[in-house]
Amino acid sequence: DAGITQSPRYKITETGRQVTLMCHQTWSHSYMFWYRQDLGHGLRLIYYSAAADITDKGEVPDGYVVSRSKTENFPLTLESATRSQTSVYFCASNFGWSYNEQFFGPGTRLTVL
Amino acid sequence: ELKVEQNPLFLSMQEGKNYTIYCNYSTTSDRLYWYRQDPGKSLESLFVLLSNGAVKQEGRLMASLDTKARLSTLHITAAVHDLSATYFCAVVQFYFGTGTSLTVIP
């Protein structure tokens, strides 16, 4: 499928488990982003990547790990999930830095019990 | 700490009316982005404003940017039900406001 996809779309897990959310884009965009969306907070950046093997922290990186071995993939791992990480997670990408809008994936709704 | 504030947070308006959503931000930035999110859906880009004084229009929506005042506005003209959604502004690429939830009442 063309565009940006996320998997799974829904996930329920338990506290302390490791969870990986996948993000894949077919545009060869350089930049990719991970956000979490919570009521009252809008979207908050977790991590972003400027290219393969280049990642940087955003506003709320604690408890999350990212990697980017290939341009098209940007997985987000919760190493030991906590209830406070229950949220909707959005992946996004764009071609250049600030001249272009971001294109968002459909989101993953994660519930940590 | 960079802050992006939108107001109002919630807006209920009748069809046919006009209204403006405001986005204030605390840092120097000559670029601002507006996105729309339908309930339960993802975000889609509406406007990219790239300089002071930029104005863009699409249908009943018009966005403007005043970088000196650190203010962007999203003006809605003659609202229709299809415009019901949450609207977000963002600065420096990835700092988002908390969103304005718009409901247009028939």
Side-chain angles (χ1 to χ4, degrees), chain B residues 25-69:
Chain B
Y25 53 96
S26 64
T27 190
T28 301
S29 177
D30 60 356
R31 298 181 180 106
L32 189 132
Y33 315 82
W34 283 98
Y35 294 87
R36 168 181 171 145
Q37 184 179 36
D38 291 320
K41 302 292 185 182
S42 187
L43 284 79
E44 60 180 29
S45 175
L46 290 174
F47 301 110
V48 180
L49 303 170
L50 296 177
S51 61
N52 184 42
V55 177
K56 288 198 173 179
Q57 183 164 4
E58 179 75 31
R60 301 175 187 272
L61 299 177
M62 183 174 71
S64 65
L65 178 61
D66 181 344
T67 60
K68 294 178 182 177

Side-chain angles (χ1 to χ4, degrees), chain A residues 37-55:
Chain A
Q37 184 175 30
D38 306 289
L39 279 175
H41 290 281
L43 274 78
R44 290 180 292 175
L45 182 68
I46 304 171
Y47 271 95
Y48 70 98
S49 169
D53 297 323
I54 301 174
T55 62

Side-chain angles (χ1 to χ4, degrees), chain B residues 5-105:
Chain B
E5 296 180 338
Q6 288 183 236
N7 67 82
L9 298 182
F10 299 94
L11 175 58
S12 181
M13 57 190 297
Q14 287 188 315
E15 278 191 336
K17 299 292 186 182
N18 303 333
Y19 208 83
T20 300
I21 298 170
Y22 297 89
C23 173
N24 292 271
Y25 53 96
S26 64
T27 190
T28 301
S29 177
D30 60 356
R31 298 181 180 106
L32 189 132
Y33 315 82
W34 283 98
Y35 294 87
R36 168 181 171 145
Q37 184 179 36
D38 291 320
K41 302 292 185 182
S42 187
L43 284 79
E44 60 180 29
S45 175
L46 290 174
F47 301 110
V48 180
L49 303 170
L50 296 177
S51 61
N52 184 42
V55 177
K56 288 198 173 179
Q57 183 164 4
E58 179 75 31
R60 301 175 187 272
L61 299 177
M62 183 174 71
S64 65
L65 178 61
D66 181 344
T67 60
K68 294 178 182 177
R70 299 182 182 178
L71 171 69
S72 180
T73 61
L74 181 65
H75 187 73
I76 303 156
T77 301
V80 292
H81 180 68
D82 285 351
L83 291 179
S84 296
T86 299
Y87 294 86
F88 293 93
C89 63
V91 297
V92 193
Q93 184 72 261
F94 48 62
Y95 288 98
F96 282 76
T98 51
T100 296
S101 177
L102 170 66
T103 302
V104 180
I105 303 168

Side-chain angles (χ1 to χ4, degrees), chain A residues 1-7 9 22-27 29 31-34 72 74 90-94 102-107, chain B residues 42-43:
Chain A
D1 291 335
I4 183 165
T5 57
Q6 293 182 234
S7 63
R9 294 293 313 280
M22 303 301 293
C23 179
H24 176 78
Q25 53 102 355
T26 60
W27 294 304
H29 282 171
Y31 285 85
M32 296 187 74
F33 309 84
W34 274 107
E72 61 267 30
F74 191 38
F90 286 101
C91 178
S93 69
N94 77 355
Q102 294 179 42
F103 295 88
F104 283 80
Chain B
S42 187
L43 284 79

Side-chain angles (χ1 to χ4, degrees), chain A:
Chain A
D1 291 335
I4 183 165
T5 57
Q6 293 182 234
S7 63
R9 294 293 313 280
Y10 303 90
K11 177 74 176 178
I12 300 174
T13 191
E14 294 178 337
T15 301
R17 299 252 180 158
Q18 183 178 80
V19 178
T20 296
L21 309 183
M22 303 301 293
C23 179
H24 176 78
Q25 53 102 355
T26 60
W27 294 304
S28 298
H29 282 171
S30 300
Y31 285 85
M32 296 187 74
F33 309 84
W34 274 107
Y35 297 91
R36 59 177 292 173
Q37 184 175 30
D38 306 289
L39 279 175
H41 290 281
L43 274 78
R44 290 180 292 175
L45 182 68
I46 304 171
Y47 271 95
Y48 70 98
S49 169
D53 297 323
I54 301 174
T55 62
D56 208 348
K57 295 179 180 179
E59 185 183 356
V60 289
D62 293 344
Y64 303 95
V65 175
V66 294
S67 63
R68 196 165 175 208
S69 58
K70 293 184 178 181
T71 300
E72 61 267 30
N73 297 324
F74 191 38
L76 176 73
T77 298
L78 289 66
E79 293 189 302
S80 179
T82 65
R83 289 199 180 96
S84 65
Q85 293 178 310
T86 292
S87 186
V88 179
Y89 290 85
F90 286 101
C91 178
S93 69
N94 77 355
F95 182 73
W97 181 231
S98 61
Y99 291 97
N100 306 96
E101 70 270 43
Q102 294 179 42
F103 295 88
F104 283 80
T108 294
R109 183 173 293 275
L110 176 68
T111 301
V112 183
L113 301 176

